[in-house]
Amino acid sequence: MVDISVKNLTKFFVIGENLLENLSFEIQEGERVAILGRNGCGKTTLLKILTGEMGYDEGEVFVNPGKKLGLISQIPNFPPHYRVEDVLRSAFAELAATRRRMEELEAQMARGEEADLALYDRLSNRYLTGGGYDMDVETDKVCNGLGILRAQREQLFASLSGGEKTRVNLGRLLLEKTDILLLDEPTNHLDLRSVEWLEGYIRAFKGTVLVVSHDRYFIDQVAQRVMEITDGHAEFYSGNYSFYMDEKQARFNLQLKQYEQEQAKLRQLGYTVERMKGWGINNRTLYRRAMSIEHRMERIRKTEKPKKERTMSASFGEREFHGDVVFKTRGLSKSYGERPLFSDVNLLVEGAQRIALLGDNGSGKTTLLRCILGEETCTGRVEFGPTVKWAYLPQIIHFDHPERTLYDTMLYEKNCSPQVARDRLGQFLFQGDDVFKPVGTLSGGEQSRLRLCMLMDEKINLLILDEPTNHLDIASREWVEAAIEEFEGTLLFVSHDRYFIEKFAERIWLLEDGTLRVFDCGYRKYRSIVEHEAAQKQPAAGAPKKERVRKPTAKDPAKQLAKLEREVSGQEARIAELDAKIDAASADYVELTRLLGEKEAAEAQLMALLEQWDALAEAQ
């Protein structure tokens, strides 16, 4: 069954310049599709068109009318008194209304008044099958997965930061039990733990998912198909991000080969035509043959020459490093009031190491970087090697003069000539009129690229980056990676981009519960170590534990038998109730999985009770 169908969709914001042009595709029920493309290519616009939030100029858009659709691109307006808990609970608005109507009917019955019992039965069934009795469990599960703490759930929603609001809104959308999820950069503002939880949720989700993301590792984990939007058109790839990369290169190579073969054939025929025309001045037969070959050349299918995307051609200016120690810390500690962020951090960093600093949001990673660089006060000591010169790219970019253009910013802050300023900006793909934009009007990704352009002009041997790929599209991330790959100095970075971490990290620093742990390995081995430790702390997963059979005592066996019979009856009723819930939740994979687990445990407990009953009955 088709959940989404788009035919010849065209959308323009400036007449004559189409953002989307004759875009056509179909999404089948249950598919998980990632939408890729450069920033500004129309990905978010497409999602808004699918929800009806934005109109379009030409074409047809079909979304299965029997399916509930949810989009996470914009945060709805909530009343100013709403707490985070109220926003999350708004996902259950229909169930809450059902419950209120049930309570009205219950109140009528309690007063001895005549009530519509048939309506009450329908409402009860709707409340039960809709998961009304499991709202608390589901809310806690989503909040735990996304890192929404209990204390935060009591805060006013309006008091949260933009990132925190996005995370809460994502939680609300997941609780709404939509059939078609449209996710626009869902991993922004999530830490690694929350992103991994979201991946598991999406993989288990039975409905249809369209996700716009620049997180390559995330796409690898969740996508079954990739749709790339380029110049308003869509190209499909039948696999995840890794498949897309290989297939895209294969298509490029094939198209280039076809183009070169056609051009060689056309050159050969063109040479033949010119010779025949020369010979055919006095020979009409040869001249007609030459004209025939020209017509044949026109009929040859012209393959368009494939285009390579523009790439940055810049690298860091490096300063020679002498010595072994880049920096070391002794007893580094930092607290905010009574809350310790980290304590007694002792580190030794040597030349050319590449270190990833990981940890949950709020664990103090950025603060630790700033303490190391002396930009924030803390207790303890930091000592740098005598020849170390560092550069720092912060997570939040700040320019002292946002009213200046990119061109003027380079001239004033780098004290370079006009030609050097244009050349450096051009290397970072700021070309033409782009260089005369005010810095304050740039997107977050463009500001990061400009700051990186300025950093690369310096002679450094220690590079410290805080979320360097935030707000960057995939192409921009690859440009940054290419520049870093050639940097031979020491690299220390904070990132939630697992693709980036896996590519560069040779050591891992994990900041957790105020303690810094050092892993002298890359990301994959670090993950295996952490997962092994977590498995050791928890009982092995698998079949539910069989209840231990208690030996019957000699005290009043008749009463014990009667008690066991009541427990068996109650357990059988519980299993029947679960069977009804399982039938009702057949379309909700997450709920179904939970209920089946409960039923399995209930059946194991029933078997244990029956064994006790059998043992007691035999002893009598």
Side-chain angles (χ1 to χ4, degrees):
M1 182 188 295
V2 175
D3 267 353
I4 297 173
S5 175
V6 172
K7 294 181 181 177
N8 302 319
L9 174 66
T10 297
K11 172 68 180 178
F12 58 78
F13 290 105
V14 178
I15 295 178
E17 294 182 19
N18 294 339
L19 182 63
L20 302 172
E21 185 173 3
N22 293 324
L23 187 70
S24 298
F25 63 88
E26 283 187 351
I27 307 295
Q28 300 294 323
E29 181 181 35
E31 276 196 301
R32 301 194 301 269
V33 180
I35 304 177
L36 305 185
R38 287 178 177 273
N39 286 341
C41 73
K43 302 185 296 295
T44 298
T45 298
L46 173 61
L47 295 187
K48 290 180 178 179
I49 289 173
L50 293 178
T51 62
E53 185 182 334
M54 184 179 289
Y56 51 94
D57 300 297
E58 295 176 14
E60 300 176 13
V61 175
F62 167 82
V63 177
N64 191 329
K67 299 290 183 73
K68 187 176 180 181
L69 182 146
L71 171 64
I72 189 72
S73 67
Q74 285 192 339
I75 300 170
N77 291 320
F78 293 101
H81 65 277
Y82 262 42
R83 302 166 302 146
V84 168
E85 186 75 16
D86 299 324
V87 171
L88 293 167
R89 293 289 177 161
S90 68
F92 304 114
E94 292 182 14
L95 284 173
T98 301
R99 183 62 198 163
R100 285 194 296 272
R101 186 68 182 112
M102 287 170 61
E103 289 171 350
E104 290 172 5
L105 293 171
E106 288 168 358
Q108 287 181 355
M109 289 185 275
R111 292 193 298 269
E113 300 174 7
E114 186 176 346
D116 189 338
L117 296 180
L119 172 60
Y120 185 79
D121 285 342
R122 289 197 301 274
L123 292 172
S124 298
N125 187 56
R126 187 188 308 166
Y127 190 73
L128 174 67
T129 57
Y133 295 105
D134 298 316
M135 287 189 293
D136 292 342
V137 173
E138 288 299 308
T139 303
D140 289 343
K141 184 169 70 175
V142 169
C143 287
N144 291 338
L146 293 178
I148 302 171
L149 303 178
R150 175 65 63 178
Q152 190 180 56
R153 289 164 66 174
E154 297 304 318
Q155 289 181 241
L156 287 175
F157 181 72
S159 71
L160 301 184
S161 67
E164 290 169 331
K165 285 180 179 178
T166 300
R167 190 146 38 102
V168 171
N169 198 37
L170 174 60
R172 178 191 62 80
L173 177 63
L174 297 183
L175 289 169
E176 279 185 352
K177 306 292 186 190
T178 54
D179 303 300
I180 303 174
L181 278 176
L182 305 182
L183 303 174
D184 193 357
E185 294 293 352
T187 62
N188 278 5
H189 312 294
L190 297 183
D191 54 34
L192 284 176
R193 199 191 307 267
S194 300
V195 171
E196 288 169 355
W197 178 87
L198 181 60
E199 287 170 354
Y201 182 94
I202 292 174
R203 285 196 299 267
F205 182 65
K206 201 171 182 180
T208 302
V209 179
L210 255 69
V211 56
V212 171
S213 180
H214 298 315
D215 188 331
R216 295 157 291 180
Y217 205 103
F218 178 78
I219 298 168
D220 250 352
Q221 295 297 310
V222 304
Q224 298 167 324
R225 262 206 305 167
V226 168
M227 178 173 76
E228 182 179 32
I229 298 179
T230 308
D231 298 329
H233 303 281
E235 283 260 359
F236 271 93
Y237 300 83
S238 303
N240 61 9
Y241 181 77
S242 296
F243 177 88
Y244 151 80
M245 287 295 291
D246 293 338
E247 179 67 13
K248 184 176 182 180
Q249 187 60 48
R251 291 184 191 183
F252 178 90
N253 294 340
L254 178 60
Q255 187 177 346
L256 182 61
K257 184 178 179 180
Q258 289 175 338
Y259 172 80
E260 289 173 345
Q261 288 175 342
E262 284 182 10
Q263 292 302 308
K265 190 170 186 179
L266 289 170
R267 283 194 299 270
Q268 184 182 9
L269 290 173
Y271 177 68
T272 302
V273 166
E274 291 303 317
R275 286 203 303 168
M276 283 188 172
K277 281 183 177 179
W279 294 336
I281 292 174
N282 298 316
N283 187 327
R284 294 179 62 82
T285 302
L286 282 175
Y287 189 81
R288 282 198 299 272
R289 189 173 295 171
M291 296 301 294
S292 175
I293 292 173
E294 278 193 336
H295 291 313
R296 181 182 163 198
M297 289 172 67
E298 291 172 4
R299 289 195 300 272
I300 292 176
R301 183 171 59 87
K302 307 290 194 306
T303 300
E304 186 178 348
K305 184 177 181 180
K307 298 176 183 177
K308 277 281 189 186
E309 293 183 342
R310 292 185 303 164
T311 57
M312 291 197 303
S313 56
S315 59
F316 287 94
E318 294 188 35
R319 178 177 180 177
E320 192 173 349
F321 174 68
H322 299 285
D324 297 323
V325 177
V326 177
F327 70 83
K328 56 185 176 182
T329 70
R330 294 180 183 176
L332 218 58
S333 302
K334 177 69 178 180
S335 298
Y336 286 115
E338 296 183 357
R339 180 189 166 222
L341 269 185
F342 48 84
S343 60
D344 199 27
V345 174
N346 299 294
L347 297 167
L348 173 64
V349 178
E350 297 177 323
Q353 290 183 343
R354 297 191 164 197
I355 304 162
L357 174 57
L358 308 183
D360 292 343
N361 286 345
S363 60
K365 302 183 299 296
T366 296
T367 303
L368 177 58
L369 291 185
R370 291 174 56 82
C371 287
I372 289 171
L373 297 177
E375 296 188 357
E376 191 152 332
T377 58
C378 62
T379 59
R381 293 177 59 189
V382 181
E383 298 175 10
F384 285 90
T387 61
V388 171
K389 183 179 180 184
W390 54 263
Y392 174 47
L393 181 69
Q395 185 174 350
I396 300 172
I397 307 296
H398 172 73
F399 290 93
D400 292 333
H401 298 281
E403 74 285 354
R404 286 180 181 166
T405 65
L406 281 72
Y407 178 67
D408 287 338
T409 299
M410 288 294 291
L411 289 178
Y412 283 103
E413 296 197 24
K414 303 308 298 179
N415 194 26
C416 58
S417 68
Q419 188 58 50
V420 168
R422 293 298 296 261
D423 289 345
R424 294 293 290 173
L425 289 169
Q427 288 176 327
F428 281 78
L429 306 184
F430 293 116
Q431 298 172 335
D433 292 338
D434 288 346
V435 302
F436 300 114
K437 288 181 180 178
V439 168
T441 65
L442 299 180
S443 68
E446 288 171 328
Q447 288 191 358
S448 294
R449 189 150 34 106
L450 176 59
R451 180 61 76 190
L452 199 59
C453 171
M454 298 168 71
L455 285 182
M456 283 188 172
D457 201 36
E458 300 178 12
K459 298 285 186 182
I460 61 172
N461 46 33
L462 169 61
L463 180 60
I464 299 180
L465 308 172
D466 192 355
E467 297 291 357
T469 59
N470 262 12
H471 311 295
L472 299 181
D473 57 28
I474 289 175
S476 299
R477 292 179 185 212
E478 290 172 349
W479 297 337
V480 171
E481 289 168 1
I484 292 173
E485 230 167 352
E486 294 191 11
F487 179 64
E488 296 181 357
T490 302
L491 176 66
L492 171 60
F493 64 91
V494 170
S495 181
H496 293 144
D497 184 342
R498 288 162 295 171
Y499 204 95
F500 185 90
I501 299 168
E502 192 169 282
K503 187 166 189 173
F504 291 110
E506 297 168 352
R507 296 180 80 197
I508 304 290
W509 292 351
L510 176 63
L511 188 55
E512 190 175 43
D513 299 328
T515 303
L516 191 78
R517 293 182 63 191
V518 176
F519 298 81
D520 288 314
C521 59
Y523 182 69
R524 287 197 181 211
K525 188 172 181 182
Y526 152 77
R527 285 298 308 157
S528 67
I529 293 171
V530 171
E531 287 167 7
H532 177 73
E533 290 177 349
Q536 293 294 313
K537 292 178 183 177
Q538 296 178 354
K545 284 187 178 180
K546 187 177 178 181
E547 292 282 335
R548 182 171 61 87
V549 179
R550 291 172 294 177
K551 291 183 180 179
T553 64
K555 294 182 180 178
D556 205 348
K559 285 186 177 180
Q560 285 186 316
L561 272 176
K563 181 174 180 293
L564 282 170
E565 285 170 0
R566 289 195 300 273
E567 290 181 3
V568 166
S569 297
Q571 200 63 19
E572 287 173 340
R574 171 63 179 155
I575 291 169
E577 181 186 343
L578 286 169
D579 282 333
K581 287 185 177 183
I582 286 167
D583 290 338
S586 58
D588 185 342
Y589 179 80
V590 175
E591 178 68 4
L592 189 61
T593 302
R594 187 185 70 80
L595 290 171
L596 288 171
E598 280 190 28
K599 182 183 176 183
E600 194 174 356
E603 287 176 339
Q605 191 172 353
L606 176 62
M607 290 303 297
L609 290 170
L610 288 171
E611 285 183 24
Q612 291 179 47
W613 184 91
D614 188 54
L616 187 60
E618 192 175 327
Q620 280 193 303

